[in-house]
Amino acid sequence: MQMFSSLVEARAGLTRGCARRVADHVRRMAPLLGMTAEEQQDTLFAAMLIDLGKVLLPERLTLRPYAELQGEDRNLWLAHPLHAHSLMMGVETLRGAAYVLRSLNERCDGTGVPDRLPAALIGVGTRLLMVAVDYESMLAGAQVRARLNPAQATQMLRSAAGQRLDAQIVALFVESLQAPPPVVRTRRTVTAAELCVGMHLAEDLLSKDGVVLLARGHVIDTALIQHFRSHEIRNDLSLKLVVLDAMPTC
């Protein structure tokens, strides 16, 4: 996922590092919004691929800030989440993320695209991405020609709250930006029996042949815990996984 995200960002006009920063916002905000492990994982994958659909756009659209696009050019740009949705639906593990991305250009007042969904029908992961993407786009100069500073960007978020953006998520997002740095999470090696829902893998989980089975950052959920424990029993072994505690629930 990290390699694919980097390849997407190599497209002319796309901001390097933006997807990573949006993903960092998702990791910070998801526990505050009560998102399930599955919702967190889907939203994290969607964050890493937020610009995937833009690789199909003409270069003239990716080289200009959104505010300068008009008419058909703006409509083409607004359709980029649909392109990403179509590309990702063919990969089973990305289908949840595909649905998160599909609605990225909806609006919480129900006037967005492609489906004019009201806020209640826009998933929490998408509503979180909308805020994080807008914030990073403003800092990078991708919305207007000038790069905004953090204070200006947060003011713009507040202005859009209740219209394009979810007002509650905007408030929590701005508050979290101003909060003290989070406590460093504990890094430790555990067995499958010690895994808890909400932990994150601190290192890639590799097979004996060196194949990546699960990437660093993957969120542990109930299904994975059951799978690992069954695997240990069937093969009479003890797995060792390096994890970060992240508000785990055992």
Side-chain angles (χ1 to χ4, degrees):
M1 287 293 297
Q2 291 171 342
M3 180 185 69
F4 196 16
S5 180
S6 296
L7 287 173
V8 170
E9 289 184 339
R11 173 72 156 83
L14 302 187
T15 306
R16 290 187 179 274
C18 186
R20 176 184 55 78
R21 292 188 293 273
V22 171
D24 288 342
H25 291 308
V26 169
R27 292 188 182 97
R28 185 184 75 256
M29 289 290 299
L32 302 179
L33 296 171
M35 295 171 65
T36 66
E38 182 178 4
E39 288 172 333
Q40 291 184 47
Q41 193 70 63
D42 287 343
T43 308
L44 185 61
F45 282 171
M48 295 175 71
L49 296 175
I50 50 171
D51 286 331
L52 176 61
K54 293 179 184 177
V55 301
L56 301 179
L57 297 179
E59 190 171 292
R60 71 176 189 277
L61 303 186
T62 61
L63 292 174
R64 295 172 61 192
Y66 172 74
E68 296 181 7
L69 301 178
Q70 297 181 359
E72 186 58 25
D73 280 352
R74 177 167 288 200
N75 291 335
L76 287 172
W77 189 94
L78 287 171
H80 79 80
L82 289 179
H83 299 320
H85 175 265
S86 297
L87 291 169
M88 295 163 65
M89 284 298 290
V91 183
E92 184 175 354
T93 53
L94 293 180
R95 285 176 187 164
Y99 285 115
V100 172
L101 268 185
R102 174 185 169 84
S103 300
L104 186 62
N105 285 331
E106 296 287 352
R107 293 172 55 95
C108 288
D109 60 9
T111 63
V113 294
D115 303 310
R116 300 178 68 87
L117 297 176
L121 296 182
I122 303 173
V124 63
T126 302
R127 285 181 278 130
L128 170 55
L129 270 192
M130 291 160 67
V131 174
V133 169
D134 277 16
Y135 179 77
E136 289 299 333
S137 296
M138 288 185 281
L139 295 184
Q143 284 208 6
V144 295
R145 181 69 61 179
R147 293 173 179 259
L148 303 186
N149 62 41
Q152 292 170 322
T154 53
Q155 183 55 47
M156 292 288 286
L157 291 181
R158 291 190 179 102
S159 297
Q163 300 175 48
R164 166 168 160 72
L165 304 178
D166 182 296
Q168 180 184 12
I169 292 179
V170 168
L172 285 172
F173 185 88
V174 172
E175 182 181 352
S176 73
L177 290 175
Q178 299 169 343
V183 176
V184 176
R185 293 175 295 180
T186 304
R187 178 188 173 102
R188 58 195 178 98
T189 301
V190 299
T191 64
E194 297 170 317
L195 285 173
C196 296
V197 172
M199 288 179 171
H200 292 65
L201 284 182
E203 296 179 357
D204 292 340
L205 178 63
L206 306 177
S207 70
K208 292 181 180 179
D209 300 324
V211 176
V212 177
L213 302 177
L214 285 176
R216 178 177 63 87
H218 197 98
V219 181
I220 301 299
D221 59 17
T222 302
L224 270 178
I225 292 174
Q226 293 174 345
H227 172 75
F228 287 141
R229 291 177 180 174
S230 297
H231 183 72
E232 283 188 330
I233 293 172
R234 285 196 307 269
N235 297 281
D236 191 26
L237 52 79
S238 178
L239 293 174
K240 299 294 183 182
L241 301 98
V242 182
V243 299
L244 295 173
D245 288 337
M247 299 181 68
T249 303
C250 293

